[in-house]
Each structure stands twice: as C-alpha cells, then as structure tokens.
Amino acid sequence: MFPFFSFSQKINNCGHIIIETYTDKSFKYIENKNTYQVIVNNMVLEGNSLLETTNGYLTITNLEENVPSKIRLYNANGELLFIKDYKQVINLITSENKYYVAFYNAGYLTVLNIQSLKEFKYASSLIFNIDNDGNPAYGNNIDNTLFYKNTNYKFENQLSKLLFFNDKLIVFTTDKMYLIENGVSQLVYTFNSRFFDAAVYNNKLYFVNRIENKEGFIFTLFETANFNEFVELQKENYNFNSISEPSLIYDTLKNKGYLHEPIRGPIRYNENNVQYPIGNSYAEIQDYGSPQYLHPGVDFLGNPNENVYAVKAGVVKAILTTSGSLHWRIAISNNATSGESVGYLYAHTNQYSIPYLVGDIVSQGSVVGTLVEWPIYNFTHCHFARIQASGATWDGNWWTINNPLIDVTNIVDNTTPVFMNAIGSNKFAIRKKANGSYIQPDSVYGNVEFITKIYDQVNSTWKLDVYKLRYSMHPFDNANNIIFDNLAFTYDMPLDEYITNNYTTLCLNTIYSRDVSCFSIGNYDDRDYYQIVTNSNGDDSISSADQLCSFNTVLYPDGQYYFKVTAWDASNNVKSDSMLIHIKNHSNKIDESALNKAIVSIFPNPNHGKFNLIFSDKTMNDVSISIIDVLGNVVSEKSYNSINNMIDISKQPKGIYFLKIKGLQINKTFKVVYN
C-alpha cells in the first residue's frame, strides 16, 4: 500500500503473511463532522482506508455497517480528482503497477482506471484480480472455471485466490498452484494439505501451506522467485479453542420459519452472567448521512484485539471486507449445504486474525478472529447478526433474520426501557393521519397517529431502541375495561439491508416518525427514537398495509381514556406509561361520511374463534347480529347494546363466516375468518 523498505517477511500465528515495513507516512484517524480523515505526508485526506496509487492516493470512507462507501482519488499534492458512492466496496485491490483498482459491488466486479477514471463492470464472484493493462481475471466457484483475456480455464478443485506476479496470473486452488502464461495453464506446485495465503513482494512470491490436526493448524511459509525453487521460511502452530466438536446438518433446511435458538455471546463466550455493553440494537434507525437504514445486527462492545468466538458450529461461507481494514468479517453457516441456510455474521475483525478459509468447518466456541480497534468514540465492537443466504459460498448479499440478542443466554441486563416526553410536556405525540398536523390530548378526533419516544440501554451509556411495543386503551375511570390491546412492533423482522434495502426502507418508514417535530435519528452524537405505535394492524409482521393504519377515534364514544404503551427490551425488562386523552369527535364536527365508513371495528380478523366487535355510539342502540356460515346456515343470532363486545364462535368449525348487522343506523354484512 506504500513504498516500503522491507526488514523481513513472516506469518503470524493465524497463518497470514505479514510484511514488516518502514514508511515515512503517518497514518491516523481524526473524528471530524461525522467522518474520518487520514494524515499522510502532512496532507489531510478524507477517508478511513488508504492505498497509494501510481500518482497519488485512494481513500475509502465508510461510516457504519453497510452504508454506501465513498471512493476518493487524490493526486500526489492531495488535490481531489474523483469522488463517487458505491453500494459495496468488497475486497478492493490494485494492479501491480497501481494504475487500476478493482472491487466487488453488488454482484459485479468493478474496474476503475485511475488515470482516465473510466469504469468497467463484469459479472463475477469474489475471486478476482487485475493485470497491469486493466484486464480482469475472475472465477466461478460453481464450476471451478476462470475467465481471463477471452479464455476460460477449468480446474479440478475450488478456486481460492488469484495473484499477478510480474504481470503473470497465478491461480491458487484448494491444493494446487498454477501459472497462466500464453493462454496455457501450467501446474507449478502441489500443496501437501491446503493452500491458505499468498502475497507478492519485492519480485518474490510468498505462499502458505496449512495442515489441520486435532489440536489445530500448522502453517508453513514458502518463498519462490522463479517456480524452480521453493524455500521454506517459517512454521507456526495455531491451537483450537473450542468447547465442542462440529455438529452440522448436511442437507437443506426443512423449516423455513427460522426459529430462535439459544446461543452465547460472540465475545467473552466462556463467561457466565456477562454484563455485555451493547452499542446498537437490532433494527434501530441509523443515520450517518443518506440513506437512513435499520441496523442489521447487534453491536457487542469490546476491546481492541479481543477474541471473537463462533456461537454455533458451522461451515465458513464468506471472509471479506465491505470497505477497507475496519470492515473485515467472517460468515459461518449452520448447515453444510449449497442450498438456502442460516448462520451468523461476525464483523469488524482484524483481517490477519482469521485462521480459517471459506469451506472450513468451525467448532462451536472456536476463536474466529479478534476485534479491530475502532478509531473513534471508543466503539470497538463485534457487529453480530443472524443471516440467511444460498450457495456454496456467500458474497455479502444476505438477509438478516431474527434479533439475536434475545437468544443470548449468558447476558445480564436489568435496565428497563425509558419513556421520554414525545412532544412538549406530553408523554405521547398525537398527529393527524391525513395532514400531519399535531393536536393536543385534550381534544382528539378523527384518524390519528400516536407517537412515543422510548429508548433502552444495555450495560452502557449508548441509547438503543427497544425489542417490542404494544398499545392499549381503557376508560379513565375503569382500568379493567380494556377496550383494545394491540401489538405495535417486534424488532425481530428480517432485513434486506445487505441486498436491495427495499423491505428495510418499508420497515423504517412504518416504525419511525421523521418530521420536524418528532425526528428519529441514530448516530454517534444523536439518538432519538420516535415510534409510530399505531402504524400496525396488530400482527407480528410489517407490510405496506401497516403504513395505512391509524387510531380511528370515531369508533369510540366521546369521553376520557387512558392511552397506554408498553415496551420490552431483549432481556424481557418491561416498562409501561400512559397518557389521559379526551376523544371529542362530535364537538369537533367530524365529517359524517367518515363516520359512516368506520362505524364498526372487528379484530383480530382472521382470528382463532374469538374476536372483538366495537361500535361507535352512532350504531349501538338495538343492534342485532346474525352469524352465518358459508352454506347460509344461521349459527348464532343475538341483540347487542354495548359498544365493546366479545364474540365467541370457537365451538363452530373453522372457516369463513358472515356477520349480518342490523339496527336503526346500520344494515351491513362483514366477513370473518376463523382459522
């Protein structure tokens, strides 16, 4: 990455090639206005990863997990020549002459000519490199083929790495090394066990052989200058640290529900009753510039170089970085299958601390790497997520599923969620659904949204969002008469933040308020979570229909009520708060057509044989209800005079029923699904 003066070449105890160097360039991070800066040769450049190019510098800026990365090119005087955002910058490399850079971005290999600033894209895998003329070489691990200069090459075993050595392509498979020259593939070395790592430096090629035994790995470093002689330089032993043998499922998953499973935390794995400090919770809003997103995992705060452990046995599906040295990660599937499977993601590890390769089997409790030091806010952490993807290998485009924090069995957290005043002195904010204007709790009418401001803390000062929210209402003078009790949200939804971000954006816009009065934000400096609890139809999934939901006050008689919200965190600590509201529809002269459209409420629907039937006071007098099955048989007929009624058809067969409601002000039929 810089012009170096070499002292020695060696491998660390994890088998990675380390070149000890001297450089006259200082390199450090400065937190400034929510970004990073690097100082090199007394010049201040913006970014948190730095490479030297043929005539200047390239920096990458990535502020947080899976935020689009920004590439900048500077000349030797520090003048900015190029800037562009990319959704992903995975495993960025330069050509030997540093005229070209290449990286993986959302399924494609992107090649950038540093001098002309022209871009080229190729459908590729994560196995790629680029020669001094900008010609890409890239592999396909489905059929073990390689494409380079209009020629396809077929190999017996899986491709592991591509390098250019004196502008000649070197191909490493799991157990062999090949030289590609003049359109011909030539075998030049056979490993006695498994290829692990390789690097080119000072006109020499260095590579590592790995042998596995019951105790761990034995790494051996070799050197060659011409493929005629291979010199052994060093051996290193790596001892396993695990509590169990691998236990894998060697077929596709039968259950696509992905139920939660008990796990221990990914750091301090072997300790019990750990007060894990959490820096970000699952699915909480993140705002480090545009676009905003939901956090696709849980951040376990730790110390630089602290061990990270596999919480389940599995097979390594991916080892990659999404943006420079801070974002290396390892993904391990629970299942040895090329079909759909689930596993766990461990991000922000030191690149050279990962002792595994893609395809390796990892035991539960094994060390999979160490934490990279986070340069600002003392925020060194393991970004931990449960993920789902398909394929023999994974390329970083995966779903996150489930909130893994509720599954951690060795965490201790006794702090309950905290309710803040959402607006002014009001515990909750009330906003008109139609026009977004705010109204006071002493005069509530029409279709409205209730907005809360709640946060949680887990063994740290960082504010997090909660795990689950419910809301309910009862008359001010009768706490036992619960008129309704609805689930708002459970922060346990799948997120496609690493893929298209479409569903994640839908969830964000459903859960969070972001207007001037109630503006949700989450970053290092500001954290305010305003949850629109009434944007929910009461089930445990989020869809576009939830954004249309509201609290329709015309369903209830004018009067005073307590609106109550209950919040749980991932450790099941619970807190409730309520606010007195006064529904005043008639005194505010609600439009009559709105009343006629919403005079009956039936929920839940579908149901399990019992459901609530609520009338507005306009229709409650002398109402008779007939329940009719699909064959036209009347299974029940009864008169009602109450506003809030519980209907029980659980003794009837499951199926579709029709509620025929007749009264002085109503004559309508509604469908009810009993399943």
Side-chain angles (χ1 to χ4, degrees):
M1 297 174 66
F2 301 111
F4 295 120
F5 302 95
S6 175
F7 291 140
S8 64
Q9 292 75 45
K10 66 178 184 179
I11 54 175
N12 65 10
N13 73 318
C14 297
H16 292 278
I17 298 172
I18 305 296
I19 300 176
E20 293 185 353
T21 61
Y22 168 79
T23 176
D24 60 353
K25 296 177 173 63
S26 62
F27 185 74
K28 62 181 179 180
Y29 301 105
I30 301 173
E31 193 281 324
N32 180 28
K33 295 182 180 179
N34 213 24
T35 186
Y36 297 97
Q37 293 176 334
V38 56
I39 299 177
V40 54
N41 286 347
N42 297 317
M43 295 181 296
V44 178
L45 311 179
E46 190 167 351
N48 55 11
S49 288
L50 175 73
L51 290 86
E52 192 167 45
T53 66
T54 185
N55 56 2
Y57 308 96
L58 179 148
T59 67
I60 310 171
T61 301
N62 185 284
L63 295 174
E64 252 301 325
E65 184 67 21
N66 214 47
V67 174
S69 297
K70 196 179 296 291
I71 288 182
R72 294 177 174 87
L73 288 172
Y74 296 88
N75 65 18
N77 297 320
E79 297 172 344
L80 183 63
L81 305 175
F82 172 88
I83 181 172
K84 185 173 180 179
D85 285 339
Y86 296 91
K87 179 174 175 56
Q88 296 174 322
V89 179
I90 294 179
N91 295 358
L92 184 143
I93 58 170
T94 64
S95 58
E96 283 189 290
N97 60 10
K98 302 187 186 299
Y99 278 70
Y100 298 89
V101 296
F103 55 91
Y104 187 80
N105 177 25
Y108 290 90
L109 172 63
T110 298
V111 176
L112 175 62
N113 185 319
I114 294 174
Q115 293 184 310
S116 69
L117 302 181
K118 291 183 178 180
E119 277 186 25
F120 306 90
K121 293 175 67 175
Y122 308 88
S124 173
S125 71
L126 287 177
I127 305 296
F128 62 85
N129 213 305
I130 187 168
D131 68 17
N132 286 338
D133 295 319
N135 298 305
Y138 48 90
N140 182 342
N141 269 336
I142 296 177
D143 58 6
N144 301 327
T145 58
L146 169 73
F147 181 83
Y148 178 55
K149 288 186 176 180
N150 299 316
T151 302
N152 283 305
Y153 301 87
K154 176 73 174 178
F155 298 91
E156 294 180 5
N157 294 319
Q158 180 176 308
L159 301 175
S160 294
K161 190 166 187 172
L162 306 179
L163 281 179
F164 281 95
F165 177 41
N166 295 327
D167 210 32
K168 296 178 181 178
L169 179 59
I170 311 300
V171 179
F172 295 91
T173 66
T174 54
D175 63 346
K176 292 180 175 63
M177 175 168 49
Y178 298 86
L179 169 66
I180 306 293
E181 191 172 18
N182 299 321
V184 177
S185 171
Q186 176 186 353
L187 176 65
V188 294
Y189 188 86
T190 299
F191 294 86
N192 63 358
S193 182
R194 179 77 156 86
F195 163 78
F196 184 75
D197 195 13
V200 173
Y201 182 72
N202 269 358
N203 296 317
K204 291 184 179 180
L205 175 66
Y206 299 89
F207 59 91
V208 179
N209 181 80
R210 190 191 72 182
I211 298 174
E212 182 176 357
N213 55 37
K214 291 183 179 180
E215 288 74 32
F217 297 130
I218 301 173
F219 298 104
T220 306
L221 175 66
F222 293 89
E223 170 192 274
T224 185
N226 52 22
F227 302 108
N228 294 321
E229 182 181 13
F230 300 95
V231 179
E232 180 179 321
L233 299 180
Q234 180 189 355
K235 282 185 181 291
E236 284 289 335
N237 293 318
Y238 178 88
N239 294 321
F240 291 143
N241 179 6
S242 61
I243 63 171
S244 67
E245 292 299 315
S247 178
L248 300 180
I249 302 173
Y250 286 89
D251 60 3
T252 57
L253 292 178
K254 303 298 189 299
N255 175 22
K256 296 300 178 67
Y258 303 131
L259 300 178
H260 285 273
E261 57 185 5
I263 56 174
R264 298 174 74 86
I267 58 177
R268 301 173 65 182
Y269 178 89
N270 296 305
E271 300 179 30
N272 296 318
N273 302 318
V274 182
Q275 291 183 324
Y276 285 114
I278 304 299
N280 284 300
S281 60
Y282 186 76
E284 74 181 28
I285 189 170
Q286 305 275 276
D287 188 353
Y288 293 89
S290 181
Q292 294 75 40
Y293 64 100
L294 299 183
H295 189 245
V298 176
D299 288 346
F300 284 77
L301 299 179
N303 299 310
N305 303 310
E306 185 173 356
N307 285 340
V308 179
Y309 297 85
V311 301
K312 286 288 182 181
V315 58
V316 178
K317 290 287 190 174
I319 299 173
L320 56 90
T321 177
T322 56
S323 180
S325 59
L326 297 178
H327 295 271
W328 279 94
R329 62 206 52 218
I330 179 171
I332 302 174
S333 170
N334 294 0
N335 304 80
T337 175
S338 59
E340 185 178 283
S341 61
V342 300
Y344 292 92
L345 173 69
Y346 312 82
H348 309 312
T349 57
N350 288 298
Q351 175 185 0
Y352 299 119
S353 70
I354 301 172
Y356 295 100
L357 294 167
V358 172
D360 283 345
I361 294 176
V362 179
S363 297
Q364 180 176 323
S366 294
V367 176
V368 296
T370 61
L371 294 180
V372 68
E373 182 175 6
W374 206 251
I376 58 174
Y377 288 93
N378 194 30
F379 206 80
T380 297
H381 65 285
C382 173
H383 176 85
F384 178 66
R386 195 175 188 211
I387 57 178
Q388 176 264 315
S390 300
T393 61
W394 295 348
D395 63 0
N397 294 292
W398 40 58
W399 283 82
T400 59
I401 58 169
N402 304 139
N403 184 338
L405 189 57
I406 69 169
D407 300 325
V408 177
T409 59
N410 61 332
I411 187 173
V412 174
D413 168 34
N414 298 314
T415 304
T416 59
V418 177
F419 283 73
M420 305 287 288
N421 288 340
I423 188 167
S425 60
N426 295 331
K427 184 61 63 176
F428 310 137
I430 307 173
R431 186 169 64 191
K432 296 289 290 181
K433 187 73 173 181
N435 59 22
S437 62
Y438 286 84
I439 59 178
Q440 291 298 315
D442 60 357
S443 182
V444 183
Y445 58 94
N447 284 319
V448 297
E449 298 172 324
F450 276 79
I451 301 170
T452 57
K453 185 182 182 183
I454 309 171
Y455 72 87
D456 188 36
Q457 289 177 312
V458 180
N459 302 315
S460 81
T461 59
W462 293 101
K463 292 181 179 179
L464 318 172
D465 209 337
V466 295
Y467 172 67
K468 183 170 68 174
L469 292 167
R470 296 189 71 92
Y471 64 97
S472 61
M473 190 174 76
H474 64 80
F476 84 101
D477 57 353
N478 189 352
N480 295 321
N481 182 17
I482 306 299
I483 296 175
F484 65 80
D485 182 3
N486 261 20
L487 174 69
F489 312 113
T490 301
Y491 293 70
D492 199 38
M493 71 288 285
L495 297 175
D496 63 344
E497 176 61 31
Y498 292 101
I499 309 176
T500 64
N501 202 33
N502 293 334
Y503 184 68
T504 300
T505 301
L506 168 66
C507 292
L508 186 153
N509 292 331
T510 302
I511 296 172
Y512 289 108
S513 168
R514 284 180 61 81
D515 66 5
V516 174
S517 299
C518 296
F519 184 75
S520 298
I521 189 170
N523 55 46
Y524 291 121
D525 298 311
D526 301 300
R527 297 195 177 195
D528 292 311
Y529 309 114
Y530 291 91
Q531 305 93 350
I532 314 172
V533 293
T534 49
N535 266 9
S536 171
N537 62 8
D539 63 24
D540 59 358
S541 63
I542 294 178
S543 68
S544 57
D546 289 293
Q547 292 186 3
L548 303 176
C549 292
S550 63
F551 177 66
N552 196 345
T553 64
V554 300
L555 295 175
Y556 310 101
D558 284 1
Q560 291 183 307
Y561 302 85
Y562 275 104
F563 191 93
K564 178 181 177 181
V565 176
T566 303
W568 289 261
D569 66 15
S571 294
N572 209 34
N573 299 306
V574 61
K575 182 70 176 293
S576 297
D577 212 334
S578 59
M579 183 175 75
L580 183 66
I581 66 171
H582 196 161
I583 294 178
K584 294 183 178 180
N585 278 311
H586 291 120
S587 59
N588 283 286
K589 297 182 180 179
I590 296 299
D591 182 78
E592 192 68 20
S593 63
L595 281 169
N596 290 333
K597 290 179 181 178
I599 55 180
V600 176
S601 177
I602 300 171
F603 65 90
N605 190 17
N607 56 70
H608 298 303
K610 295 181 180 181
F611 56 91
N612 293 295
L613 178 64
I614 299 177
F615 301 107
S616 72
D617 59 350
K618 179 179 175 64
T619 60
M620 62 176 287
N621 294 322
D622 298 323
V623 172
S624 67
I625 298 178
S626 301
I627 301 177
I628 305 167
D629 65 19
V630 291
L631 299 177
N633 300 314
V634 178
V635 299
S636 174
E637 193 166 19
K638 188 176 179 181
S639 296
Y640 292 86
N641 291 306
S642 299
I643 294 173
N644 188 10
N645 305 279
M646 171 64 73
I647 308 297
D648 186 353
I649 58 172
S650 59
K651 294 183 179 180
Q652 302 296 328
K654 294 180 180 180
I656 296 174
Y657 291 86
F658 299 94
L659 268 65
K660 190 171 184 179
I661 304 175
K662 284 186 177 182
L664 294 176
Q665 303 292 334
I666 186 171
N667 187 0
K668 286 189 176 183
T669 301
F670 300 87
K671 183 172 74 172
V672 174
V673 179
Y674 167 27
N675 57 25

